[in-house]
Amino acid sequence: MKEIFLTTLRQSATPPTAFRQAAGELSRLLAAEASRLIPTQTIQIQTPLSKATGARLSHRVILTTILRSGLAMLPSFQELFPAAPIGFFGMRRDEKTAIPRLYYQNLPKITRDDWVFLLDPMLATGGSSFLALEILADAGASPSQCVLVSIVAAQPGVDVIRKKFPALKLVMGAIDPSLNDRKFIVPGLGDFGDRYFDTVG
Ligand code: URA
C-alpha cells in the first residue's frame, strides 16, 4: 500500500485534499513500521475468561517533528502513541544554499531510555534532520533509540545521516536517487509543505 499512497503524493495533478489524505494514510503505515522497532516486554494479564500473556512497550516514546511539513505526519503517529510527549523544531532552509536555520525549538525532557521519533517528510540534503538529531543527542536522546521517519528521502541525504549517526534507525516511504540544483528530491513530489497546506512558495 505504501507504493499506492506514494503514487498519489508524487503525481502533480493530485489536488490538496487527496494529497492530505494520502500523506495521512502513508504516515499511518510508517508509524506501524516504526513501532515494530520498539522493544516490548511480556506481561501477565487477566481476560474475562482466564489468565493470558500480553505485551507492553518497554520504553516511553517521544514524537518530535520539524515545522512545518512534519505537522502532516503528526496525527497518524499520535493515533498510535496517544500518550507520547511532542517536541518541535522550527527550521527554515535558505532558498539558495539549502542550509537550515533553527528559529524555534521546544522539546520535552528526554532520557537515554526513551525512544525518540523524528518526523521529517522530505529528507533532501539531510541538513534539517542532521541539525535536529544533533540537538536531540545533546538533549539526552540515545542515537540507537532514535528513529528518523520520512515519506521520501534522497540517497545523498540518507548517506550524510547514516555517516554521522550510524546507530540511528531509518523508516522511509521511498529513497529517491538524487537532488536537483535547488536541492529538491528527484523524482520526489515537489514542495511537500506547499502541496499539503495548499500554499505557494
Ligand atoms: N522539501 C520538499 O518539500 N521537497 C523536496 O524535494 C525537498 C525538500
Side-chain angles (χ1 to χ4, degrees), residues 67-174:
L67 302 175
R68 85 185 145 149
S69 55
L71 290 177
M73 301 176 76
L74 195 53
S76 302
F77 279 76
Q78 279 185 274
E79 275 172 27
L80 206 53
F81 303 106
I86 301 172
F88 294 95
F89 297 100
M91 289 187 201
R92 189 165 180 85
R93 69 173 192 166
D94 185 292
E95 291 294 329
K96 288 205 179 73
T97 62
I99 294 171
R101 188 179 62 79
L102 182 74
Y103 64 85
Y104 177 74
Q105 176 187 323
N106 192 330
L107 293 177
K109 211 169 167 39
I110 300 174
T111 72
R112 290 196 78 70
D113 191 56
D114 294 326
W115 274 71
V116 182
F117 288 6
L118 174 61
L119 313 180
D120 181 8
M122 301 299 282
L123 185 82
T125 62
S128 302
S129 282
F130 191 102
L131 184 54
L133 288 163
E134 277 189 326
I135 295 169
L136 288 172
D138 284 349
S142 162
S144 63
Q145 293 186 191
C146 287
V147 186
L148 172 57
V149 190
S150 297
I151 286 181
V152 181
Q155 190 63 55
V158 170
D159 294 344
V160 165
I161 295 285
R162 273 203 211 282
K163 194 162 177 210
K164 169 75 183 190
F165 302 99
L168 175 77
K169 314 287 186 288
L170 301 180
V171 173
M172 321 254 107

Side-chain angles (χ1 to χ4, degrees), residues 69 93 120-125 152 179-180 182-194:
S69 55
R93 69 173 192 166
D120 181 8
M122 301 299 282
L123 185 82
T125 62
V152 181
L179 296 166
N180 70 10
R182 292 178 56 221
K183 308 296 183 203
F184 271 77
I185 301 172
V186 181
L189 51 76
D191 189 303
F192 185 97
D194 281 343

